[in-house]
Amino acid sequence: MVLGELETVANILDTLLSGSQDDALIAYQIAFDLVENENQAFLLNVGNRLDSQTPGQSSLLVDQTVNAGTTSTEPAGDVQMGDDTTTANGNANPVDPKEAAHADRLAKLKGILSGEKSIQLTLQFLYSHN
């Protein structure tokens, strides 16, 4: 962040999102810290860089770094149920649970990076303590 390397920041966040649930929580905390300390242009560029990456792009890196020494292949705890989706013509297409979890995590991370989640949490706190 200090060096202005938004691609590196995006790669780190994507790697954490592709890991375990604890890794995703760390990515969310980093995103909140970025929103608090970084300018909006940097945050928008990181979000755009995350959009341009494919979900499986960093999975090999995750297996080598974040999950080193573990052999578990179970999906993260926040994976939604439902393995099939139906297209408009009625065909069922299998959906990879890891890709669905990554997409959900990415949407949450982008909400944090946009500043929307911080504003929602602040307003929720102010309303509850008014």
Side-chain angles (χ1 to χ4, degrees):
M1 176 184 83
V2 174
L3 298 174
E5 295 181 6
L6 59 103
E7 188 169 328
T8 305
V9 172
N11 287 338
I12 290 170
L13 291 174
D14 188 51
T15 301
L16 288 169
L17 287 179
S18 300
S20 68
Q21 185 175 9
D22 289 340
D23 294 338
L25 293 174
I26 292 170
Y28 298 151
Q29 182 61 50
I30 290 170
F32 277 116
D33 292 341
L34 285 172
V35 167
E36 197 171 302
N37 297 310
E38 193 55 59
N39 64 31
Q40 192 172 15
F42 184 86
L43 298 173
L44 289 174
N45 287 331
V46 169
N48 291 338
R49 201 60 81 153
L50 285 169
D51 276 343
S52 67
Q53 294 179 348
T54 57
Q57 182 177 3
S58 63
S59 62
L60 180 61
L61 182 61
V62 169
D63 292 340
Q64 294 173 353
T65 57
V66 177
N67 296 327
T70 62
T71 57
S72 175
T73 58
E74 295 178 14
D78 60 348
V79 174
Q80 297 177 357
M81 299 306 256
D83 294 337
D84 294 336
T85 58
T86 304
T87 60
N89 60 5
N91 294 335
N93 291 332
V95 176
D96 185 18
K98 286 187 178 185
E99 287 182 18
H102 187 272
D104 182 50
R105 290 174 177 182
L106 182 61
K108 289 177 183 177
L109 184 72
K110 288 186 61 72
I112 294 169
L113 288 174
S114 70
E116 292 175 15
K117 192 64 176 174
S118 296
I119 292 170
Q120 285 177 345
L121 291 171
T122 301
L123 288 175
Q124 183 182 6
F125 173 80
L126 291 174
Y127 285 136
S128 67
H129 288 86
N130 186 2

